[in-house]
Amino acid sequence: ATVLLIDMSRSMFYNGCWDAAKRSALALDTLLRQQFQRDDLELAGFSERAERLSLMQLPSLEWNEYSHGTNLEDGLRLARELLRPYRGKTRQIILITDGEPTAYNEEGTVVFENPPTERTFDATLREVIRCAREDITINAFLLDRTAGMTEFIETVARLNRGRVIHATAGDLGSYLIRDFLSHRTILIG
């Protein structure tokens, strides 16, 4: 069971990554429907808050310019909840992002901090640890190569025993499909 978790923040739109992420989601869905019908795929997006997405709405889904922040904590929380019914299956979150988390939830309120602070990182990493405790792997496709973002996502992978794949908007889809197939083969074989 997989949740494809897509960053829907402003930078994804401005950096040309938003359309690549949508195309990658459609490609992964097509692959699963054609070759792995027993696999389950859920879609979720996050910016200020996380939301469940449907495949039907994805092609026409537009970026919300009034939304502030990259609330990865909320995205991971939602993905974990979406995977909860699939206990007993191999569960993973495929994260597509281009930026550090700049928002987190505190007592039901979204706190926006740009540049991100230790509180933002700590809140997000607590959710990463919750995923690890529930045996949910987080594999990140990182569309940003800044030192801070790379270090943060590598920390996520280390805490969760996941992978980090560096990609660009142009090669995201092929990297995502190739990684999914190679990992799927390892799990089966």
Side-chain angles (χ1 to χ4, degrees):
T2 300
V3 172
L4 184 58
L5 182 59
I6 303 172
D7 183 343
M8 297 171 58
S9 65
R10 286 183 184 197
S11 60
M12 286 286 285
F13 178 75
Y14 288 137
N15 294 335
C17 299
W18 173 234
D19 286 333
K22 290 193 318 183
R23 285 191 306 273
S24 299
L26 293 170
L28 182 59
D29 176 67
T30 300
L31 174 70
L32 292 179
R33 280 188 288 116
Q34 290 177 353
Q35 293 185 23
F36 303 105
Q37 295 91 3
R38 293 178 47 196
D39 282 20
D40 295 291
L41 177 65
E42 300 279 351
L43 297 175
F46 66 98
S47 54
E48 185 176 315
R49 294 194 182 274
E51 64 181 286
R52 187 176 194 174
L53 304 173
S54 76
L55 208 50
M56 298 297 288
Q57 77 183 117
L58 192 60
S60 61
L61 189 63
E62 292 297 324
W63 166 75
N64 179 358
E65 66 181 292
Y66 301 107
S67 180
H68 297 283
T70 304
N71 194 342
L72 179 54
E73 176 208 17
D74 200 41
L76 293 171
R77 177 206 50 80
L78 176 60
R80 188 170 49 84
E81 288 176 7
L82 292 172
L83 287 169
R84 195 164 283 139
Y86 299 104
R87 291 187 194 273
K89 283 188 165 191
T90 301
R91 300 179 297 167
Q92 71 171 330
I93 297 168
I94 297 176
L95 169 65
I96 298 174
T97 188
D98 76 336
E100 295 173 311
T102 58
Y104 64 98
N105 298 327
E106 187 174 277
E107 298 177 9
T109 303
V110 175
V111 178
F112 175 67
E113 297 182 327
N114 192 17
T117 66
E118 287 301 314
R119 289 188 309 243
T120 310
F121 292 134
D122 290 347
T124 305
L125 293 176
R126 279 193 299 274
E127 193 56 48
V128 169
I129 292 167
R130 286 182 192 107
C131 290
R133 284 185 187 142
E134 292 188 27
D135 204 24
I136 298 169
T137 304
I138 302 167
N139 297 308
F141 286 80
L142 183 56
L143 303 171
D144 179 304
R145 301 231 173 158
T146 61
M149 185 57 187
T150 300
E151 182 180 331
F152 177 76
I153 290 296
E154 286 175 355
T155 299
V156 169
R158 189 174 54 255
L159 288 172
N160 187 263
R161 296 177 310 278
R163 296 182 308 284
V164 178
I165 296 95
H166 293 274
T168 65
D171 57 24
L172 174 63
S174 62
Y175 280 20
L176 189 141
I177 297 299
R178 208 171 322 144
D179 182 72
F180 182 86
L181 286 172
S182 68
H183 185 65
R184 184 80 166 76
T185 304
I186 291 168
L187 291 174
I188 293 172

